Amino acid sequence: MSTERSSRRDFLRASLPGAALLWTGGVAGSLATVEPVAAESGAAAGRSRVVVARDEQLRGAGASPASSIDSNRVLALLDRAMQALFGQEHPLAPVDAWRRLVHPGERVGLKVNTLGGRGISTNVQLVAAICERLQQAGVKPADIVIWDRDTGELERAGFHLAMGGDRVQCFGTDRVGYEVELSAYGSVGSLLSKILTQRCGALINLPVLKDHDGAGVTIALKNMYGVIHNPNKYHPNGCNPYVADVNMLPEIRSRMRLTICDATTAMYEGGPGYKPEHSWNANALLVSTDPVALDSTGWQMIERKRAEKGLKTLTAEKRAPSYIVTAADADHRLGTNDPRKISVVEV
Amino acid sequence: MFCELNAWEAGKGPRPLDRRLFLKCALASGAALGIGGAARPAAAIPSGAATGSEDDARFVVEAKFYEKLPNRKIKCKLCPRECAVGDKERGYCGVRENRGGTYYSLVHSRVAAAHVDPIEKKPLFHYLPGTNAFSLGTAGCNVNCKFCQNWDISQSRPEEVPAQYAPPQRVAELAKQYDCPTIAYTYSEPVVFAEYVMDAADAGHAAGVRSIVVSNGYMQEESLKAAYGKMDAVKIDLKSFSESYYSKVVTGQLKPVLDSLVTLRKLGKWTEIVYLVLPTLNDSDQEFRGLAQWIKANLGPDVPLHFTQFHPEYLLKNLPITPVPTLERAKAIADAEGLHYVYIGNVPGHPAQNTYCPKCRKMLVERVGFTASKVLIRKNCCPFCQQPIPGVWHA
């Protein structure tokens, strides 16, 4: 217990400037029992579950749209989402949901998305909440790495560089580089971040929910462009089939466990760069083990907001995210985009 | 210490340039700078990998060829791809970035590879034979050839590749220092560092050093005229004579490259063409014949054409080395179509590396490896029958 608390504080001190110290005593419990990883894994389960957890008070009552989210509330929201995803048959304590996902001694990578700066990046408070639960599930702080392509972008999004020591790690691929041997699948041949290959046994994908001028949307699947050295080569043709092919790279696919999409702030137009005029506070998390189902659900959320704002659909604008269809096809089977096979659970 | 230049041109032959070796040599030799003239040119570029953001600022200049669009987007006008790039994004080449609606090159003076090479290695066979070219390249490329020999720099973004700062003036000085009558822009794809090419060419010309470029020619006409208009000679990699191949293997288009060749012809630039022959992919009689006929009809019979041997690399390791008989078949077809100077490249010792008079058939330039061991041409003519031999044979 003391180690967890200490690590939690170290993490907060190192990576969360200004964040209120958060302690939710009593939930860590025993680490003796390790549950198997959830059986519900994308298309293999036949029906994919996407949890959409909302909290309209995430920023506090009467808060301005630009204000930061509340750490306690985002932890509670995360717990609700994870319980709904993993405890649909038998209610689970939050930490038990995580125990279905990770094992003590595992090295866990949290791939955030920080291209949009403080305006629209994976929230530091959400990442802190995930680290909290991972540690309670038995993962050592130093075995957790928060990462993205570039350390400067991480810092601009509010994270603090942390390399070495017993604390949660946080740095960009620029600090360690890429593997020298290519990884290839289909149309893609890329070098992979050494953070993925050398520091992550399990990968948790933490994208944001955004419109993308070329790809249509950028959510879970496209966030993996931040793992490869040459994403610029894979933007033609609406990123199709490249996004699907990147997610098929064995080093990525074998590690992927879960996607938690930070839709506390989302963008319906003008992405991927942050455009405050096209953003809204969706105050939501989308959670699933099926990234294709999650992307399909997120896409529809963006479409609903576009309709509300009087904008054309992405299909009408000839930039529907066709890579989602490809990701679900027989050559990829990364998940399902069939609405009849997706259970969207609102909590 | 000499950095082994066992390099063949980018995407145009076997083992072109070992970036790691280059950097190792360059950085290791950096300490030797200032202690005499022993340091090789790569080392002569100020050492130290440029990785920090403060260093990065040195390499950033506004791009010359683009249009501003609404909502801080831009459209790149450098190559036919015409990337529409949103704020904070990069074009396909990976070395140009939209920052708040202004488009920037990130690779001006950012040299990822530099060597002194024989000009025959470009290859340019009819341009100052027997001389050396001060050769350099940056990260980035506007296509993605599955056979690229230099993919580790051409298919990388600049921040992923250790580099050294070499402003245009310095490049010109180095070329003179190492007795190179030319600066060669090569290794990756000079299209993507066009601003640097233009500025270095100006600096070189002011210092009496010429410029040559080794390029895929996948460029818009305006940018081609502006950038390659400053060149003294050009080598174009015509990777195939098939749109399908360009689409599948190169990730580009054939037509704009053919247009570029015609434009270069109109500009009066000395131009040579390399065709890398890949077994089963671009080695049919029909394609060789179509290529030769197009060259003769649009550029004339005197444009040198080099059929070069492929060695497995990058994403095409499953193919074998091009058999020499395939290259000889390509040459025979091009010869029969009436081209005067058809060479076989990357096959050391092959007689088709030499230049022969198209009239009397006597050998005029003998090449051993990348060395022009014998140059018999006098006053741009065959010394045996006085047939004019096109090219720039003497400085």
Side-chain angles (χ1 to χ4, degrees):
Chain A
M1 287 294 289
S2 62
T3 301
E4 288 175 350
R5 288 189 197 187
S6 170
S7 302
R8 168 68 167 163
R9 289 192 200 99
D10 287 348
F11 165 65
L12 288 167
R13 197 160 46 236
S15 302
L16 307 182
L21 195 63
L22 174 67
W23 175 246
T24 55
V27 290
S30 167
L31 302 179
T33 306
V34 178
E35 303 270 353
V37 173
E40 194 226 46
S41 56
R47 192 168 179 83
S48 291
R49 192 174 181 87
V50 180
V51 174
V52 181
R54 298 180 193 273
D55 178 359
E56 297 306 323
Q57 302 302 313
L58 203 53
R59 290 172 169 81
S64 69
S67 60
S68 61
I69 62 175
D70 181 278
S71 294
N72 288 305
R73 294 197 77 102
V74 80
L75 178 64
L77 187 64
L78 175 69
D79 285 346
R80 265 199 285 144
M82 292 295 286
Q83 288 170 308
L85 184 66
F86 290 100
Q88 62 265 42
E89 292 176 4
H90 306 291
L92 284 174
V95 70
D96 289 331
W98 287 96
R99 284 181 182 136
R100 291 197 170 195
L101 199 70
V102 295
H103 303 265
E106 267 198 317
R107 306 176 90 187
V108 181
L110 305 179
K111 170 62 179 71
V112 296
N113 186 306
T114 53
L115 180 70
R118 285 188 185 265
I120 187 160
S121 291
T122 312
N123 265 285
V124 172
Q125 293 90 338
L126 171 63
V127 178
I130 293 167
C131 290
E132 175 96 18
R133 291 295 181 243
L134 284 171
Q135 290 174 57
Q136 289 165 355
V139 180
K140 292 176 188 168
D143 284 344
I144 301 171
V145 57
I146 302 160
W147 64 287
D148 203 351
R149 186 179 61 181
D150 182 72
T151 303
E153 289 181 350
L154 280 163
E155 291 179 326
R156 282 190 287 279
F159 294 91
H160 279 186
L161 174 68
M163 292 184 82
D166 292 335
R167 56 194 171 162
V168 170
Q169 306 292 291
C170 179
F171 52 91
T173 299
D174 58 304
R175 296 298 173 124
V176 294
Y178 294 87
E179 293 289 347
V180 295
E181 295 297 328
L182 284 166
S183 183
Y185 182 88
S187 58
V188 164
S190 296
L191 302 179
L192 294 168
S193 168
K194 287 182 180 173
I195 300 177
L196 175 78
T197 57
Q198 299 182 13
R199 300 293 296 263
C200 302
L203 183 62
I204 298 176
N205 189 8
L206 304 179
V208 292
L209 181 67
K210 289 195 293 187
D211 169 89
H212 190 287
D213 60 356
V217 298
T218 170
I219 315 175
L221 293 165
K222 191 169 179 300
N223 196 34
M224 290 301 101
Y225 271 29
V227 177
I228 60 176
H229 87 295
N230 55 352
N232 47 295
K233 295 298 179 190
Y234 303 128
H235 279 81
N237 195 42
C239 302
N240 186 32
Y242 309 111
V243 170
D245 287 349
V246 166
N247 280 270
M248 288 295 287
L249 295 174
E251 296 87 345
I252 293 177
R253 190 172 193 187
S254 65
R255 288 169 171 80
M256 186 63 71
R257 299 277 175 87
L258 179 71
T259 301
I260 302 174
C261 173
D262 182 343
T264 55
T265 302
M267 272 178 59
Y268 57 87
E269 170 75 356
Y274 178 52
K275 304 285 191 309
E277 66 273 27
H278 298 312
S279 301
W280 88 101
N281 290 338
N283 294 318
L285 302 179
L286 282 70
V287 185
S288 182
T289 54
D290 179 343
V292 184
L294 189 146
D295 273 12
S296 300
T297 306
W299 173 20
Q300 294 315 309
M301 286 176 67
I302 287 173
E303 290 288 19
R304 284 195 290 276
K305 181 56 72 171
R306 291 178 64 83
E308 184 186 315
K309 295 291 182 181
L311 295 172
K312 290 180 184 173
T313 65
L314 294 176
T315 303
E317 287 200 353
K318 295 186 169 51
R319 57 187 185 99
S322 52
Y323 65 80
I324 295 176
V325 179
T326 303
D329 71 17
D331 289 336
H332 295 81
R333 297 183 191 277
L334 287 160
T336 181
N337 69 329
D338 183 346
R340 295 167 300 179
K341 295 181 179 173
I342 301 173
S343 296
V344 178
V345 180
E346 298 261 356
V347 296
Chain B
M1 180 175 154
F2 183 75
C3 291
E4 177 56 52
L5 304 183
N6 181 24
W8 303 58
E9 283 306 302
K12 306 108 193 166
R15 201 54 219 160
L17 162 85
D18 188 322
R19 174 171 64 85
R20 294 174 192 86
L21 179 61
F22 153 67
L23 287 164
K24 189 170 62 179
C25 295
L27 298 174
S29 304
L33 286 177
I35 60 167
R40 288 286 162 183
I45 294 173
S47 65
T51 53
S53 57
E54 291 157 17
D55 284 341
D56 287 353
R58 293 183 297 178
F59 307 122
V60 178
V61 299
E62 184 174 357
K64 288 186 185 296
F65 309 101
Y66 76 102
E67 287 177 5
K68 294 193 175 189
L69 301 175
N71 297 320
R72 285 177 272 167
K73 289 179 73 172
I74 66 92
K75 180 190 278 189
C76 185
K77 304 291 285 184
L78 180 62
C79 91
R81 206 172 281 284
E82 293 202 331
C83 294
V85 183
D87 186 19
K88 297 188 186 301
E89 289 195 299
R90 294 189 189 178
Y92 184 87
C93 60
V95 303
R96 290 166 181 269
E97 185 168 279
N98 181 346
R99 295 181 176 178
T102 301
Y103 206 37
Y104 292 95
S105 164
L106 311 180
V107 289
H108 194 287
S109 307
R110 192 173 194 158
V111 173
H115 290 281
V116 170
D117 288 340
I119 201 163
E120 284 78 10
K121 193 167 72 68
K122 304 297 114 186
L124 282 171
F125 277 10
H126 290 228
Y127 193 84
L128 302 181
T131 64
N132 283 331
F134 186 82
S135 307
L136 56 85
T138 74
C141 183
N142 61 338
V143 295
N144 186 8
C145 300
K146 289 182 167 51
F147 49 80
C148 185
Q149 302 284 315
N150 285 335
W151 64 270
D152 54 352
I153 59 171
S154 72
Q155 302 305 316
S156 294
R157 292 174 293 170
E159 65 272 26
E160 297 162 359
V161 181
Q164 299 187 48
Y165 181 58
Q169 200 71 38
R170 182 71 178 132
V171 171
E173 290 169 5
L174 288 166
K176 287 190 77 76
Q177 182 181 334
Y178 291 98
D179 200 24
C180 298
T182 52
I183 302 163
Y185 313 96
T186 179
Y187 299 135
S188 53
E189 179 44 62
V191 168
V192 307
F193 57 93
E195 293 83 359
Y196 183 34
V197 168
M198 295 167 74
D199 292 345
D202 286 344
H205 286 141
V209 181
R210 303 182 198 189
S211 276
I212 61 177
V213 67
V214 175
S215 174
N216 61 27
Y218 192 51
M219 211 165 180
Q220 294 208 10
E221 183 175 356
E222 187 179 334
S223 57
L224 179 88
K225 286 178 175 173
Y228 294 177
K230 293 177 181 290
M231 298 296 103
D232 297 282
V234 180
K235 203 273 327 244
I236 295 292
D237 290 301
L238 184 56
K239 297 166 193 284
S240 158
F241 201 63
S242 144
E243 285 288 2
S244 168
Y245 179 99
Y246 260 88
S247 172
K248 291 175 184 169
V249 181
V250 178
T251 325
Q253 299 166 273
L254 169 63
K255 176 70 164 51
V257 180
L258 298 180
D259 292 344
S260 291
L261 284 165
V262 172
T263 300
L264 289 166
R265 173 82 173 167
K266 288 177 182 169
L267 290 173
K269 298 298 173 188
W270 180 255
T271 302
E272 301 190 21
I273 296 171
V274 162
Y275 186 104
L276 183 72
V277 181
L278 274 70
T280 74
L281 296 182
N282 66 353
D283 63 350
S284 71
D285 287 3
Q286 182 185 5
E287 195 164 350
F288 292 146
R289 189 167 293 109
L291 167 74
Q293 289 171 346
W294 184 90
I295 290 173
K296 187 178 179 187
N298 292 276
L299 309 176
D302 288 336
V303 174
L305 171 61
H306 306 250
F307 288 111
T308 56
Q309 188 178 50
F310 158 83
H311 286 235
E313 183 60 272
Y314 190 34
L315 298 173
L316 284 181
K317 288 183 175 173
N318 57 322
L319 288 181
I321 293 173
T322 317
V324 173
T326 301
L327 299 167
E328 291 171 337
R329 173 167 55 84
K331 175 175 164 52
I333 290 171
D335 284 342
E337 291 297 330
L339 298 189
H340 292 160
Y341 305 98
V342 183
Y343 298 98
I344 287 177
N346 294 347
V347 183
H350 197 285
Q353 282 193 313
N354 304 322
T355 300
Y356 300 89
C357 175
K359 186 177 175 186
C360 71
R361 310 307 303 171
K362 288 200 167 61
M363 187 173 72
L364 303 178
V365 180
E366 181 182 59
R367 297 181 181 86
V368 178
F370 292 130
T371 304
S373 54
K374 199 181 292 181
V375 181
L376 302 178
I377 295 166
R378 294 289 176 267
K379 295 182 180 176
N380 298 325
C381 291
C382 170
F384 307 105
C385 70
Q386 307 309 312
Q387 168 77 12
I389 308 297
V392 178
W393 299 103
H394 306 287

